[in-house]
């Protein structure tokens, strides 16, 4: 499956659950050439803004372009790093504070490739994928458009 | 020639819609389109955004092909 | 709890389950100053040796010194990186091929600290902690003493 | 003076035990102890190992204090 690198569905509605992460890990235990997994999880912070605390982020995306960009990031990372598996999941829609909105999971024989790929992929996602986020703040439900640095 | 424009995030708020068709002309550039947009939506002048032409980020000189899909993309916030 | 940095029990008997990883993640969802989790998992490979495939690793340790060294690595990492939480778990005893023997879990407000700390901690563990491993190979149960590079 | 020595991994296999007490003397160094060990277990000469004195890695010149806990540590394999 992974060798063909078919475009995969990245967007999942709402938060990504810890159980989903566990199930993904468990699926890789039959791949006995894997020695290292690096997992990155993005979690929604309750940042303090002038209007109040952030209570969640509502994600939207230019989905067709985003899925295509995720696919290109995958292909590029497989070329650059000696990886066995790679999975990327991103939330779409509302993700409340404390919940997970990004799950990047790379696996390799040795740790170096996993570490490097994990960081590289996250940076690529932050800068290249057309995903937009409304930070919901305060009890009145005001919002601020989020911008990656 | 009519151009299909998709608006995202705060740009959709400014335009008040997720997409619309604008009149275009042959060999129109992204910069030409921006001029039209700024005239129609002066608020967009102050906003930071990129324009994707058929799902590729273009620059001001990029030519807009016939029946292209244009998207106005505010700053990315994924992750 | 995490601010006091009390010495924590690192060794767990046998393999570390994906469910254990999920439970650890879930416990951090109430910490709404966290924006990034970096997780490293070491998995046992079925490496091919002259005597046959590796079927598992039997870990032993100089446990008192190892726990103390883990504690020093923790303290050092908290000083070096802007972390909110850090957890390290390592197997002791037999871990079969395909199962997880190391779980390093760091959390921070922003991704950079989590990435850097994750890699740093894993390297420190590999070189400084007195843990020993017998790679069990082939059907006859022969073994080779493992050595980190 | 008697020194308590812990053996780990392949060194425990060579000594045939997890720990033992060896006779020591005042101001004995790690190097002196190695000499004793190599005499008793010639096979250890070819093995790579470190010696921990009271849970700290020592070098050849490290003095072994009274009632120290000594550990022979083969290459690490954690992770």
């Amino acid at each position: 499956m992974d060798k063909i690198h078919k475009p995969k569905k990245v967007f999942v509605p709402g938060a990504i659950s810890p159980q989903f992460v566990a199930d993904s890990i468990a699926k890789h235990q039959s791949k006995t050439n894997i020695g290292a997994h690096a997992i990155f999880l993005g979690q929604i912070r309750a940042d303090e803004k002038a209007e109040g605390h952030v209570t969640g982020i509502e994600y939207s995306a230019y989905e067709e372009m985003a899925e295509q960009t995720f696919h290109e990031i995958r292909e590029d990372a497989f070329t650059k790093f000696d990886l066995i598996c790679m999975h990327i999941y991103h939330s779409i829609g509302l993700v409340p504070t404390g919940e997970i909105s990004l799950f990047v999971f790379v696996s390799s024989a040795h740790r170096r490739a996993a570490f490097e790929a994990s960081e590289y992929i996250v940076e690529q996602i932050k800068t290249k994928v057309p995903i937009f986020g409304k930070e919901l703040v305060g009890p009145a439900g005001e919002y601020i458009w989020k911008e990656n640095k | 020639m009519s151009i299909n424009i998709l608006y995202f995030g705060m740009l959709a708020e400014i335009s008040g819609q997720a997409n619309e068709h604008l009149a275009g002309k042959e060999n129109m550039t992204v910069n030409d389109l921006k001029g039209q947009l700024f005239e129609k939506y002066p608020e967009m002048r102050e906003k930071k955004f990129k324009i994707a032409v058929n799902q590729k980020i273009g620059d001001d000189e990029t030519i807009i092909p016939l029946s292209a899909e244009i998207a106005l993309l505010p700053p990315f916030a994924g992750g």
Side-chain angles (χ1 to χ4, degrees), chain A, chain B:
Chain A
M1 287 283 286
D2 281 292
K3 281 170 193 159
I4 309 167
H5 307 163
K6 282 186 295 190
K8 295 190 175 188
K9 186 89 185 129
V10 168
F11 287 114
V12 294
I16 295 162
S17 70
Q19 194 56 51
F20 184 84
V21 176
D23 294 345
S24 299
I25 296 168
K27 280 180 199 153
H28 289 76
Q29 303 206 294
S30 58
K31 300 204 175 185
T32 56
N33 52 341
I34 292 174
H37 301 290
I39 291 173
F40 179 84
L41 303 173
Q43 185 169 298
I44 310 297
R45 285 192 313 273
D47 281 354
E48 180 83 46
K49 308 273 176 180
E51 299 83 353
H53 279 100
V54 172
T55 62
I57 296 182
E58 171 107 34
Y59 286 106
S60 57
Y62 183 12
E63 290 203 37
E64 299 80 1
M65 180 178 164
E67 292 279 6
Q68 177 59 29
T69 309
F70 277 124
H71 179 65
E72 288 164 10
I73 291 171
R74 273 175 64 77
E75 288 300 304
D76 177 38
F78 268 117
T79 305
K80 279 199 167 59
F81 307 103
D82 197 6
L83 298 178
I84 294 166
C85 282
M86 178 190 331
H87 303 274
I88 303 173
Y89 300 97
H90 198 292
S91 297
I92 194 94
L94 179 64
V95 183
T97 286
E99 305 272 328
I100 291 161
S101 60
L102 173 62
F103 171 27
V104 174
F105 184 14
V106 289
S107 310
S108 55
H110 302 283
R111 64 190 181 280
R112 178 109 336 265
F115 280 129
E116 290 177 2
S118 178
E119 192 162 348
Y120 179 81
I121 292 164
V122 173
E123 298 303 327
Q124 292 285 302
I125 291 170
K126 296 253 178 192
T127 56
K128 292 197 173 163
V129 184
I131 295 172
F132 318 105
K134 248 184 191 178
E135 291 182 314
L136 308 180
V137 285
E142 289 173 277
Y143 62 85
I144 300 162
W145 287 102
K146 184 176 176 268
E147 181 170 346
N148 283 341
K149 278 164 225 138
Chain B
M1 179 180 160
S2 152
I3 309 171
N4 185 27
I5 304 187
L6 308 178
Y7 299 103
F8 290 95
M10 66 179 70
L11 297 162
E13 291 182 340
I14 293 173
S15 72
Q17 53 203 338
N19 75 305
E20 72 176 323
H21 287 77
L22 289 184
K25 56 182 200 296
E26 294 274 346
N27 294 320
M28 190 181 188
T29 64
V30 162
N31 199 44
D32 297 334
L33 176 65
K34 273 189 188 167
Q36 272 197 40
L37 289 168
F38 290 160
E39 209 162 308
K40 186 163 184 186
Y41 306 109
E43 237 190 297
M44 283 188 189
R45 285 178 195 274
E46 297 139 42
K47 298 298 178 191
K48 225 177 352 175
F49 63 92
K50 291 176 178 171
I51 291 188
V53 178
N54 288 330
Q55 303 186 13
K56 295 281 171 205
I57 303 294
D59 57 26
D60 280 356
E61 283 68 47
T62 304
I63 302 282
I64 298 175
L66 288 172
S67 65
E69 181 178 276
I70 301 295
L72 265 63
L73 308 174
F76 300 168

